[in-house]
Amino acid sequence: MNIGMLWLDTDHTADLESRLGRAAAYYAAKYGRRANLCIVHPDMVREGGLASVGEMAVRVRTDIVRDHVWVGVEDVESRGG
C-alpha cells in the first residue's frame, strides 16, 4: 500500500476488531471504496494477532505509531503480481 488514510483511535476500552472496523467504515464512507488492508503497530495486536478483520488484511509494522491505523487498498505490485 503506497497511499492510505492514517486513523487515530485511542479508545483502549474497545477490542481491536471494533477499532479497525470503525476505521474501515470511515474510509469507505469518505473514499467510496472498501479498504482491503490495514497496518498497525505490533503493540495493538495481542499475541497470535489477527490475520484479518472482515475483508481487510491486518499487518503489523514497527514504523506505525501506536494507536494509529494505516487503512487503504493494497496495490497489485505490493502483492508481487
Side-chain angles (χ1 to χ4, degrees):
M1 178 169 54
N2 293 321
I3 299 173
M5 177 190 78
L6 191 61
W7 173 265
L8 172 64
D9 189 330
T10 58
D11 181 3
H12 298 278
T13 61
D15 63 11
L16 184 59
E17 283 190 55
S18 297
R19 294 169 74 183
L20 299 181
R22 283 193 298 254
Y26 183 87
Y27 182 92
K30 182 169 179 83
Y31 299 107
R33 69 189 289 193
R34 291 182 176 190
N36 65 6
L37 176 63
C38 67
I39 303 171
V40 299
H41 189 276
D43 286 351
M44 291 181 71
V45 179
R46 295 177 193 249
E47 196 169 319
L50 289 174
S52 64
V53 172
E55 299 174 8
M56 205 169 44
V58 178
R59 298 201 186 124
V60 296
R61 284 187 24 188
T62 57
D63 59 340
I64 301 297
V65 179
R66 287 177 182 87
D67 292 329
H68 287 75
V69 179
W70 190 15
V71 181
V73 177
E74 184 174 30
D75 303 326
V76 173
E77 297 85 35
S78 297
R79 288 184 272 160

